[in-house]
Amino acid sequence: MVAIHGKFLYRGEIIEAGIEIENGVIKEIKKTIEGEKIDGLILPASIDVHVHFRDFEESDKETIESGSLSALYGGNCLVVDQPNTNPFVGDFDEYERRMKIAEKKSYVDYSLNLGLTTKNSERIHEIIKKIEEKYRIPAVGEVFLQHSNSELEIPYHTLGEVRKKISKLITVHAEDPSLIQDSRPPEAEIEAVKKCLELGDFHFCHISTYDSAIMISDSNSTFEVTPHHLLFNTEDLDRLGEFSKVNPPLRSKVESEMLFNVLQLADILVSDHAPHTLEDKKNGAPGFPGVETTYPVMVNLMRKGLVGIRTLTSLIATNPARIFGFEKYGEIEVGNYANFAVFNLKAVSKVKAERLHTKAEWTPFENFEAVFPERVYLKGELALLNGEVLIEPGIRKKKEVDEIEKIEESEKGKISKK
Ligand code: DOR
Ligand code: ZN
């Protein structure tokens, strides 16, 4: 049993109290609990439900190991990886192969969406069933209505049929194929959202327009926003130069400001961490790395009063846990895992690509102000302290580890009694 004591967000208020942790889970929260005194503000560690950790044949861009290390430095306790890898994760074998890599190599908890393509859509129900005998699939996605690789595309009618057939969350890249053309205009997103909402409830990936946000928030569907669509716009294209390409693309200044203004309507904040090699970026590969900068950049905005603490923690921890069904994750609460990120709001630094841990070697947030977490606790274990990683990679199956420890302790007890 361990206990820490400090300032943290609890049931919507910042309180100063003690947190008792047993087996990686918060056992009790009380003012009278004493424990190690923690400086700074203790917030829930974040859950990034949209990352592309590549690996497989694209290990030069990122691996589960490098991506998850970057995630840890960014204050994340759990990531959801996307299936558009090479090879694609559309069946049991690839799913299992990836989960096995994560078991050994991931620094943070790892989960993986199952891909849906025209090819596997008929069998998707059986594939889900088979995988779920062993692993828990958080969602089917990210579904592409349009993709340069036509095998990965899903026409609306197929999406509609799958929606009726399975109950699982389906995450959609909403860009209408007939309107997308080269420039991928806002209308392509708005139209696709409209058509999808007619088909049923979905989770929409990285929404970039005000109109889509309003439509979705009036429905039973949910949506993500990214820091880059909130904070960047077409005026940043020059600054970003040959690195500026991302899907959906950066929008006009007024569009990004309007989206920021309705941030409270969004459900989840994600990075859409999409690393590429410098060479691939120069050749026009779309995507921004971000799993390490999302929380620190947003905490800095919170520090400046531009984002509320409740909005931020809902978007980054509570809502992703609830919507994707991750039990015991989310807010700081009795019964939940002790997953915390501790921020010293006076320790403002500038983002520098050379200090990040992704293989991407660049960041669109270069020189942005940020507050990086000084400590990250994963299931009660201090995993990161002042820039130093204190854990080995590999998913910590808390219960098993603790059981081994308990057995060892009782063995010791027996020996000492003898
Ligand atoms: O910019 C993007 N990059 N958007 C996506 O939807 C996919 C991602 C990637 O995988 O590179
Ligand atoms: Zn993505």
Side-chain angles (χ1 to χ4, degrees):
M1 178 111 70
V2 283
I4 59 171
H5 195 280
K7 262 192 203 155
F8 56 96
L9 183 71
Y10 181 58
R11 298 185 181 172
E13 303 292 333
I14 293 174
I15 64 165
E16 193 159 351
I19 304 176
E20 206 169 83
I21 302 159
E22 192 178 53
N23 262 331
V25 170
I26 300 173
K27 193 170 175 233
E28 203 171 8
I29 293 175
K30 246 191 197 160
K31 297 236 173 210
T32 50
I33 293 173
E34 288 179 17
E36 190 192 350
K37 176 97 185 83
I38 308 295
D39 284 331
L41 179 62
I42 306 167
L43 295 180
S46 79
I47 300 172
D48 193 336
V49 298
H50 194 145
V51 302
H52 297 266
F53 281 174
R54 315 294 190 205
D55 217 302
F56 286 175
E57 298 300 309
E58 292 178 319
S59 294
D60 51 338
K61 293 187 192 235
E62 195 77 287
T63 59
I64 291 177
E65 185 168 0
S66 60
S68 64
L69 181 65
S70 194
L72 175 60
Y73 274 97
N76 295 279
C77 61
L78 167 66
V79 294
V80 179
D81 204 1
Q82 302 300 331
N84 65 332
T85 45
N86 181 12
F88 187 77
V89 182
D91 219 329
F92 179 82
D93 287 352
E94 294 80 30
Y95 199 96
E96 168 148 79
R97 216 179 118 205
R98 232 172 146 72
M99 293 306 287
K100 284 202 162 148
I101 298 173
E103 266 163 42
K104 287 209 189 83
K105 301 284 186 186
S106 187
Y107 284 88
V108 298
D109 285 344
Y110 177 92
S111 198
L112 174 62
N113 283 347
L114 170 67
L116 173 69
T117 62
T118 312
K119 247 164 84 187
N120 75 1
S121 67
E122 298 268 315
R123 295 185 300 119
I124 197 77
H125 189 70
E126 290 133 58
I127 300 170
I128 292 173
K129 216 171 136 205
K130 184 162 179 213
I131 296 174
E132 292 220 310
E133 280 167 18
K134 212 162 164 189
Y135 305 103
R136 189 185 157 271
I137 305 172
V140 168
E142 50 186 1
V143 168
F144 291 91
L145 298 166
Q146 190 274 350
H147 199 281
S148 52
N149 173 359
S150 60
E151 274 197 11
L152 301 190
E153 281 183 2
I154 289 283
Y156 288 110
H157 67 267
T158 313
L159 185 59
E161 281 162 23
V162 174
R163 180 63 297 171
K164 278 190 218 122
K165 234 173 19 188
I166 62 170
S167 58
K168 202 157 266 305
L169 196 66
I170 301 181
T171 77
V172 182
H173 260 240
E175 285 184 283
D176 189 87
S178 69
L179 297 174
I180 213 165
Q181 295 143 359
D182 282 344
S183 67
R184 312 181 89 103
E187 296 73 37
E189 179 183 283
I190 297 163
E191 180 63 17
V193 166
K194 205 185 282 170
K195 285 189 180 150
C196 287
L197 289 177
E198 284 165 11
L199 298 173
D201 297 336
F202 295 95
H203 175 74
F204 291 94
C205 302
H206 39 58
I207 285 301
S208 63
T209 68
Y210 171 85
D211 284 4
S212 308
I214 296 294
M215 268 193 290
I216 302 167
S217 63
D218 279 341
S219 75
N220 289 326
S221 289
T222 49
F223 72 100
E224 302 166 355
V225 286
T226 69
H228 51 272
H229 291 115
L230 294 168
L231 302 174
F232 302 161
N233 55 65
T234 45
E235 290 183 8
D236 291 284
L237 293 177
D238 278 351
R239 173 177 69 85
L240 296 168
E242 53 196 350
F243 295 92
S244 66
K245 204 161 167 207
V246 66
N247 292 332
L250 299 182
R251 303 302 188 191
S252 67
K253 188 161 193 225
V254 68
E255 187 73 64
S256 65
E257 284 177 357
M258 284 168 71
L259 189 65
F260 194 101
N261 286 341
V262 293
L263 183 59
Q264 285 187 339
L265 298 182
D267 296 286
I268 302 183
L269 188 77
V270 299
S271 64
D272 191 14
H273 180 76
H276 293 283
T277 61
L278 292 181
E279 203 187 328
D280 287 346
K281 272 313 276 177
K282 286 176 186 162
N283 291 327
F288 292 167
V291 73
E292 192 166 341
T293 47
T294 295
Y295 208 2
V297 164
M298 295 305 287
V299 168
N300 182 57
L301 296 187
M302 181 190 89
R303 178 187 70 87
K304 290 177 142 185
L306 296 170
V307 178
I309 187 168
R310 293 175 197 83
T311 303
L312 179 58
T313 50
S314 298
L315 289 171
I316 221 152
T318 321
N319 293 350
R322 176 177 47 81
I323 293 167
F324 281 73
F326 292 116
E327 282 174 24
K328 297 193 186 176
Y329 290 83
E331 64 201 318
I332 299 177
E333 184 56 89
V334 173
N336 279 351
Y337 290 126
N339 290 326
F340 312 130
V342 183
F343 297 92
N344 173 357
L345 297 186
K346 292 199 181 100
V348 182
S349 61
K350 287 206 167 149
V351 176
K352 300 279 177 195
E354 64 194 30
R355 290 194 212 136
L356 300 178
H357 300 81
T358 164
K359 287 192 178 188
E361 292 187 76
W362 78 284
T363 166
F365 293 95
E366 186 75 23
N367 287 327
F368 269 59
E369 279 187 348
V371 182
F372 286 90
E374 288 186 348
R375 291 171 177 244
V376 177
Y377 288 86
L378 299 177
K379 296 182 180 156
E381 190 177 353
L382 187 57
L384 183 85
L385 175 63
N386 297 325
E388 201 187 327
V389 175
L390 305 178
I391 56 166
E392 294 296 319
I395 301 289
R396 279 150 298 283
K397 289 188 183 151
K398 202 58 210 166
K399 231 172 140 191
E400 289 169 25
V401 172
D402 281 355
E403 260 152 26
I404 293 166
E405 280 171 5
K406 255 189 228 158
I407 293 165
E408 281 172 357
E409 266 170 39
S410 74
E411 293 292 316
K412 264 189 238 156
K414 271 183 220 157
I415 294 164
S416 62
K417 267 179 213 154
K418 270 182 195 166

